Amino acid sequence: MGLLVSNKRFRLFWVGSLFDDMSLPISMMAIAWLLLSLTDSALWVGIGAAMHGVGMTAFSLLAGALIDRHNRLRILLLAQCIQMMVTLIVGTMVLMENEYLPVILFLALMNGLVHAVKISGKMALTLDIVGQESLLKGIAANFFSMTTMSVVGPLLAGWIIEPYGIEYSFFLTSLAVLLAILVLINLRGIETPKPTESSHKEDIVEGAKYVLRTPLIRLVIVTIMVSELFGWAVESMLPVIARDELGLGATGLGYLIAGGAGGAALSSVIISLAPEVKRKYLMVVLGLGSFGVGLIAFALSNNFYVSLAIIALAYGGATMYESSLATILQSSVPDGIRGRVLSFQSFSWGLSGIAGIHSGAIATVLGAPIAVGFGGFIIITHAVRITRKLKMLLAVSDSNN
């Protein structure tokens, strides 16, 4: 966390990101709990998560092109304004008891679109502000922000939903985004990229070709896709497991989500304070393995406190591999196409929402624990499969730099 002390611009950026990072877990929890309350269906909860994922995947590549061609801070602020207004409208509709399923799904879709822009924009801005030499610590600090707010956000949402009503969680989301805008608008020195003659379509195609033709980047993106499509399906099933397997209400779900985020936050602090790790492939493989084992153990648990401890450990392992993959990705890609390549990362992250379709379907037939445990098995298998290849490709990349 030394960057927060030594780098004033990064400190301002980080504080703004802190409020922004609070908005996503509150909104996602509110949407999932509202869908579960209205439909009493694991499948519809999964479809809601899928709409968020569709928004992310559908817009991620274009978002990356926008980030590379226009002022990144202005694009980020515009996305936040859109999110604030749409969430405020939906909260007002819920308050007036106009809880239409299509409107809720539309909010999930818009959250995905906005999230695609924010992921690429914030990651690209991090490197702009801190530079290559402090990139891992900057990424770890950002992960700490995300995971900390993933603790605070769900707890606040749970405490608000049961006594006051779910509409106030949407209002809290809008307030958090507004505070982020008011902080980030004061960030100075973010330059607009030089104009290019290529079209947005050509930019996207160029980014795709780079990913497909670069073995290390291709492997990183595939690994992110596998983990999101199978491992992070757990997120869409948490409301179902909380209510149907552990007998919890909205407050209990908030504690469960916060417990996982707390484990991730602790892991990010350890990474940011630890000396530079040279063998990043080990962090990737061990992180994936820990995450997969944790998911299987979580699926087998029927005790709230045991589940809370397990999910904290699982999410801690996830932070280990995610921060390592993000560092490999950013440090290996030329500046001119960084936004477009990073957009493939946000594209991949959107798959965790789309995973709600298959996890919801499995949960409807076999139960939510089976859906989560299956994802853990896939993650462990993939970790074993990529170990040697990732080690070799990183060695080649290091020798070329």
Side-chain angles (χ1 to χ4, degrees):
M1 296 300 170
L3 276 175
L4 297 178
V5 177
S6 62
N7 191 321
K8 181 180 179 180
R9 293 173 68 227
F10 182 71
R11 183 166 62 247
L12 183 65
F13 172 71
W14 188 84
V15 171
S17 296
L18 201 67
F19 290 116
D20 187 67
D21 291 336
M22 181 192 294
S23 67
L24 180 64
I26 297 175
S27 181
M28 291 185 68
M29 177 177 164
I31 290 171
W33 195 255
L34 183 58
L35 286 171
L36 187 61
S37 301
L38 288 175
T39 66
D40 196 33
S41 167
L43 181 59
W44 276 110
V45 174
I47 291 173
M51 292 300 291
H52 182 276
V54 167
M56 279 191 67
T57 54
F59 199 66
S60 289
L61 302 185
L62 179 57
L66 291 173
I67 292 299
D68 277 341
R69 294 169 67 97
H70 304 284
N71 187 284
R72 290 160 179 166
L73 180 59
R74 292 173 187 170
I75 295 293
L76 176 60
L77 291 171
L78 176 60
Q80 290 171 330
C81 289
I82 293 172
Q83 179 190 8
M84 180 181 65
M85 294 305 299
V86 173
T87 305
L88 187 61
I89 291 170
V90 172
T92 303
M93 293 183 68
V94 176
L95 179 64
M96 298 172 65
E97 298 184 352
N98 294 321
E99 299 163 329
Y100 298 115
L101 189 60
V103 175
I104 301 168
L105 296 178
F106 175 74
L107 173 59
L109 177 67
M110 289 303 299
N111 275 349
L113 292 171
V114 168
H115 198 200
V117 176
K118 294 200 293 186
I119 287 174
S120 295
K122 287 162 71 175
M123 291 189 68
L125 282 168
T126 299
L127 182 54
D128 290 341
I129 294 170
V130 306
Q132 287 277 3
E133 66 281 356
S134 300
L135 181 58
L136 179 58
K137 294 186 182 300
I139 290 173
N142 287 342
F143 269 112
F144 178 74
S145 169
M146 287 188 289
T147 52
T148 300
M149 289 300 101
S150 294
V151 174
V152 175
L155 289 177
L156 289 175
W159 294 336
I160 289 172
I161 289 172
E162 289 192 350
Y164 301 110
I166 198 167
E167 60 269 22
Y168 290 99
S169 61
F170 291 114
F171 296 149
L172 179 59
T173 298
S174 296
L175 176 60
V177 177
L178 175 61
L179 292 173
I181 293 171
L182 293 176
V183 173
L184 291 174
I185 203 170
N186 295 294
L187 189 61
R188 299 289 184 264
I190 304 301
E191 298 181 357
T192 301
K194 295 180 180 180
T196 63
E197 296 180 357
S198 59
S199 66
H200 288 99
K201 180 180 178 181
E202 290 170 335
D203 287 346
I204 293 172
V205 170
E206 183 184 1
K209 287 181 178 178
Y210 182 86
V211 170
L212 293 174
R213 293 173 179 174
T214 310
L216 176 60
I217 302 303
R218 185 172 65 244
L219 181 61
V220 168
I221 295 298
V222 168
T223 298
I224 296 172
M225 286 182 173
V226 171
S227 67
E228 296 296 326
L229 190 56
F230 295 100
W232 286 107
V234 65
E235 288 187 318
S236 61
M237 290 298 100
L238 277 180
V240 181
I241 289 178
R243 193 191 71 170
D244 298 345
E245 304 297 330
L246 301 176
L248 304 173
T251 302
L253 171 61
Y255 282 118
L256 200 61
I257 297 173
L266 179 60
S267 179
S268 66
V269 170
I270 293 172
I271 293 170
S272 68
L273 295 177
E276 183 72 18
V277 178
K278 299 297 182 182
R279 298 180 179 181
K280 288 186 174 60
Y281 79 94
L282 283 178
M283 290 186 65
V284 173
V285 173
L286 291 176
L288 284 169
S290 300
F291 185 45
V293 171
L295 291 179
I296 293 174
F298 180 73
L300 295 173
S301 172
N302 58 8
N303 178 276
F304 168 65
Y305 297 102
V306 173
S307 297
L308 194 63
I310 291 173
I311 200 167
L313 293 173
Y315 280 30
T319 299
M320 185 188 305
Y321 82 76
E322 284 185 341
S323 59
S324 300
L325 289 175
T327 302
I328 293 170
L329 198 60
Q330 289 231 44
S331 60
S332 304
V333 176
D335 290 343
I337 60 171
R338 181 159 28 101
R340 279 161 283 176
V341 174
L342 290 177
S343 70
F344 279 86
Q345 184 177 21
S346 57
F347 173 90
S348 303
W349 283 346
L351 295 178
S352 64
I354 295 177
I357 295 177
H358 71 71
S359 61
I362 293 173
T364 300
V365 178
L366 301 175
I370 298 296
V372 173
F374 171 72
F377 173 76
I378 296 295
I379 295 299
I380 294 171
T381 302
H382 184 71
V384 172
R385 189 183 70 84
I386 68 168
T387 301
R388 290 183 63 184
K389 187 173 183 180
L390 181 60
K391 179 182 179 181
M392 179 192 69
L393 291 174
L394 282 172
V396 172
S397 178
D398 290 341
S399 65
N400 292 333
N401 293 332

